[in-house]
Amino acid sequence: YGSVYCYNSHYSGGIMGQWTGTGGTIEQCRNYGMLQTTYGTDWVGASAGIVAQLYHANEGNEYNIISCGNYGSVYTRTGEDAGNKVGANDSAGILGNITTYYSNSVANAQQFCVQILDCVNAPGVEIYSGSMASGIFGFLSSDNPGSDTIKNSTSKVTIRIERCRNFAKVLKGYSYYAGIF
């Protein structure tokens, strides 16, 4: 029920900042705290009510976020103003972003599965971001991001989002926003 302030940090999550490596399940978790990030570099960082970032997942593993709820707001350094880009780049109610290893070809890309099932971003929640704001899941990317790099590196990632709901009051990203993904 408290607040999390991440000064000069890349990642802030209500339950987990960065999920790295082995798969597993996060189930029936709730975040009621406010998150605020202040990191001031473009295109860096993630913030979310449950998991800020799934980073360098293990090949062949499954990562599940099931029946979780975000009831806390996500803010940039100045609070509600997403126009200054000072705060997390990818912000969401449940999962901020997934970052894969760099791959120069589809054949060498990592293969793993992420499932976000029966989750909710509650009414009254406000999410502000330096780039993207989303109710459930923010962004899929890779190391050394670029259009071809992301396409090659993420081509074998399976993302399954089912029965999730977003009731956020505000979703405001500097560049993009969406209700689910």
Side-chain angles (χ1 to χ4, degrees):
Y1 288 96
S3 298
V4 176
Y5 299 96
C6 293
Y7 296 102
N8 294 319
S9 175
H10 291 90
Y11 311 102
S12 67
I15 303 300
M16 184 182 298
Q18 191 176 71
W19 191 354
T20 301
T22 306
T25 299
I26 297 171
E27 191 168 5
Q28 296 183 5
C29 291
R30 305 283 182 268
N31 172 53
Y32 293 94
M34 182 207 48
L35 303 170
Q36 185 173 16
T37 59
T38 65
Y39 195 73
T41 301
D42 287 348
W43 311 111
V44 175
S47 185
I50 304 300
V51 178
Q53 181 182 51
L54 174 56
Y55 185 72
H56 292 165
N58 284 354
E59 180 77 19
N61 278 222
E62 189 172 281
Y63 300 81
N64 304 301
I65 302 173
I66 301 172
S67 299
C68 293
N70 177 50
Y71 299 85
S73 294
V74 179
Y75 295 102
T76 61
R77 175 182 288 175
T78 57
E80 297 177 358
D81 181 16
N84 62 15
K85 297 175 110 176
V86 179
N89 190 55
D90 307 322
S91 300
I94 304 300
L95 175 59
N97 82 23
I98 298 170
T99 300
T100 65
Y101 286 106
Y102 164 81
S103 177
N104 60 358
S105 71
V106 171
N108 295 328
Q110 288 177 273
Q111 185 172 356
F112 60 91
C113 179
V114 176
Q115 298 188 103
I116 305 170
L117 310 172
D118 300 309
C119 293
V120 65
N121 192 37
V125 169
E126 298 179 24
I127 298 179
Y128 300 91
S129 180
S131 180
M132 310 181 181
S134 179
I136 302 298
F137 171 49
F139 189 58
L140 175 61
S141 188
S142 67
D143 293 334
N144 304 316
S147 62
D148 287 337
T149 306
I150 293 174
K151 187 180 353 176
N152 289 336
S153 301
T154 64
S155 62
K156 294 182 182 178
V157 176
T158 300
I159 300 171
R160 182 176 162 219
I161 301 171
E162 292 186 15
R163 298 175 307 275
C164 293
R165 292 137 349 261
N166 172 47
F167 300 105
K169 177 181 173 183
V170 174
L171 295 171
K172 185 177 179 186
Y174 182 82
S175 300
Y176 308 99
Y177 56 91
I180 300 295
F181 173 46

